[in-house]
Amino acid sequence: MTGVLADPLLTALEGVRDPELDEPITALGFVASCTRSADGVAEVHLRLPTYFCAPNFAFLMVADAYDAVAAVDGVRAARIVLEDHFAADAINAGVAARAGFAGSFAGEAAGELDELRAGFLRKAVLAGTDQVCRPLLGAGRDPADLARLRLGDVPPSPELRRLRRRRAELGLAAGDDAPLLIDPDGGGGVPGGAAPLYLRKARTTRVNIEANTGICRGMLRHRYADAGLGQTSEEDR
């Protein structure tokens, strides 16, 4: 297919995240190419760190990329191609047919991936809470004090904006009057006595996500010599 790098398409793909790592597929280097023909056919090629990346994670990224690209003005048709993956044929065909995960893996998948996505969002909320709370703890606030704070009490920051977005995606309160510490499962506030354990869990979740992100970035660099479109370095994160 002939075409040129289409910035609106790449911008749309910046909104597609690896569900486990909670990072844009562009920043991670997963976008190998992104083109649009003169008659409005968009084609995006995606790549992943290993041949055996979990097919449910891969399916979510390919399906989300399809939705993002198809919604761009001027795109008449979208084609998302996952490369070098053991389940690429099933995923590519299923997304193109809008068959869903269960339809793409008929007889193998128990159902769709809504709960999987929600589970990763809950982890993103915990990790994001740690990112927001660490500076506050470093400034001398104690965990019980943080349990009394509302989002509107926290100084504005990119981390706070990101946390609000993740909470909103999960259907949790994200306004100024919402508790800073919130149970991502039920949506209730965290009592002061439970705050230390909650914050330790949030920190562990954040560390695990960042470690997995570093591993995936390293494997991708080993697998592909060239950078992906929109890829950032770990220092830029």
Side-chain angles (χ1 to χ4, degrees):
M1 176 179 179
T2 60
V4 296
L5 177 63
D7 290 338
L9 299 185
L10 197 57
T11 298
L13 290 169
E14 288 174 351
V16 178
R17 303 193 303 270
D18 180 302
E20 180 185 25
L21 307 181
D22 194 40
E23 292 288 343
I25 61 173
T26 47
L28 290 167
F30 294 173
V31 181
S33 66
C34 175
T35 61
R36 180 167 54 184
S37 66
D39 60 348
V41 177
E43 182 164 324
V44 175
H45 287 244
L46 301 180
R47 62 192 191 175
L48 296 175
T50 75
Y51 184 73
F52 292 105
C53 284
N56 47 4
F57 300 173
F59 184 89
L60 284 174
M61 285 184 274
V62 174
D64 289 352
Y66 181 98
D67 291 341
V69 168
V72 173
D73 287 344
V75 170
R76 179 179 60 81
R79 181 169 183 252
I80 312 298
V81 181
L82 176 63
E83 301 176 337
D84 305 328
H85 188 274
F86 80 97
D89 290 345
I91 291 172
N92 293 338
V95 169
R98 315 308 287 147
F101 185 70
S104 301
F105 292 90
E108 300 178 67
E112 296 303 323
L113 303 175
D114 296 337
E115 181 51 39
L116 177 69
R117 189 191 295 275
F120 282 127
L121 269 174
R122 287 191 283 268
K123 289 183 178 181
V125 167
L126 280 173
T129 301
D130 179 72
Q131 291 174 329
V132 170
C133 289
R134 274 185 297 157
L136 301 175
L137 293 168
R141 310 293 287 263
D142 62 46
D145 189 20
L146 297 189
R148 292 188 289 269
L149 293 181
R150 303 286 166 176
L151 290 180
D153 299 325
V154 180
S157 67
E159 291 75 20
L160 180 60
R161 290 194 295 273
R162 177 171 173 154
L163 176 60
R164 287 182 189 266
R165 291 196 299 269
R166 297 299 182 270
R167 284 169 59 152
E169 287 180 51
L170 197 54
L172 301 175
D176 285 348
D177 60 345
L180 170 60
L181 306 188
I182 196 169
D183 175 11
D185 290 307
V190 177
L197 179 60
Y198 174 92
L199 289 170
R200 285 197 294 272
K201 182 178 180 181
R203 181 180 183 276
T204 299
T205 302
R206 189 260 309 165
V207 170
N208 285 341
I209 291 175
E210 290 182 355
N212 287 339
T213 301
I215 291 170
C216 286
R217 283 178 174 269
M219 289 191 297
L220 190 76
R221 284 196 302 268
H222 180 75
R223 192 177 191 199
Y224 299 104
D226 57 316
L229 299 180
Q231 185 171 354
T232 61
S233 67
E234 294 183 59
E235 292 74 18
D236 294 330
R237 294 177 57 215

